[in-house]
Amino acid sequence: MNNIITSEAEMDARVQVEIAELQKQIEELKAENARLRKALLKASSNLPKMSSKLKSALYE
């Protein structure tokens, strides 16, 4: 019975380590996602804009 308790304690410790690693990975992915969104917004803002004459014609 003592071996079972030890095994469960070891398993709990391993599960906690795995959860901590997954949480770290989630935070890293969130940061990467934010960086990619910022880069995409910056890149899309550099696209050529519609001319004011064309815009006026479309709104008529």
Side-chain angles (χ1 to χ4, degrees):
M1 181 86 175
N2 196 12
N3 288 340
I4 294 172
I5 294 171
T6 304
S7 296
E8 287 179 10
E10 288 174 0
M11 189 182 314
D12 287 344
R14 283 185 285 175
V15 168
Q16 288 177 352
V17 168
E18 290 291 329
I19 289 172
E21 289 176 1
L22 288 172
Q23 288 174 331
K24 180 181 175 188
Q25 188 176 12
I26 287 170
E27 293 305 315
E28 290 170 354
L29 289 171
K30 281 182 180 180
E32 183 180 9
N33 189 20
R35 284 190 301 274
L36 289 171
R37 285 177 181 266
K38 186 176 180 181
L40 181 61
L41 283 172
K42 186 176 181 181
S44 67
S45 69
N46 291 335
L47 294 176
K49 305 288 190 267
M50 190 183 325
S51 75
S52 57
K53 287 183 181 180
L54 178 57
K55 192 183 291 185
S56 295
L58 288 172
Y59 283 126
E60 288 181 2

